Amino acid sequence: SVLAAATKHAAAKLQELRTRHFPAVEGGCVCLQNDEGVDSEIVRYAREHQVDLIIMATHGRRGLRRLIAGSVTERVVHSTPCPLLVVPPKNTLHADRDGTTHIVVATDLSKASERALPIARKLFDAY
């Protein structure tokens, strides 16, 4: 009954966030659960639903707290089938700017890093 109550609470909170941040976007919300870990469930969902982009925030834990709690975002980075946009815990850089006008794409000039360029272009065009 505790798991059922927690799931119900999570689904209600997810719906409230969707209504607040995406009121005009059609579609639903998915509350993912997995005994193996939420990171594997995110990756599984992305593969099965041909997700184009995953966006996650990080808590920014360091040291012992990170060692104990781990990093779901870091584990997703290493196994995701699609691009992953990570939002830092203190996302305040240029918070006063209206819209996104500067995007940096880091590259080491390898073929692997070149794969980021078309995605960066699409994000730039979207903004």
Side-chain angles (χ1 to χ4, degrees), residues 21-89:
H21 294 282
F22 300 98
V25 177
E26 290 189 30
C29 298
V30 178
C31 191
L32 301 175
Q33 292 176 255
N34 185 326
D35 293 336
E36 296 174 26
V38 70
D39 55 304
S40 62
E41 186 64 11
I42 291 167
V43 170
R44 182 201 60 77
Y45 184 88
R47 281 195 175 101
E48 288 181 6
H49 293 86
Q50 299 178 342
V51 170
D52 296 310
L53 175 68
I54 298 171
I55 301 174
M56 296 177 71
T58 182
H59 294 284
R61 293 185 184 110
R62 300 258 187 257
L64 187 58
R65 289 183 70 200
R66 181 171 179 213
L67 182 65
I68 293 169
S71 170
V72 172
T73 303
E74 185 174 348
R75 290 191 303 268
V76 171
V77 163
H78 294 293
S79 55
T80 182
C82 63
L84 172 66
L85 175 63
V86 179
V87 179

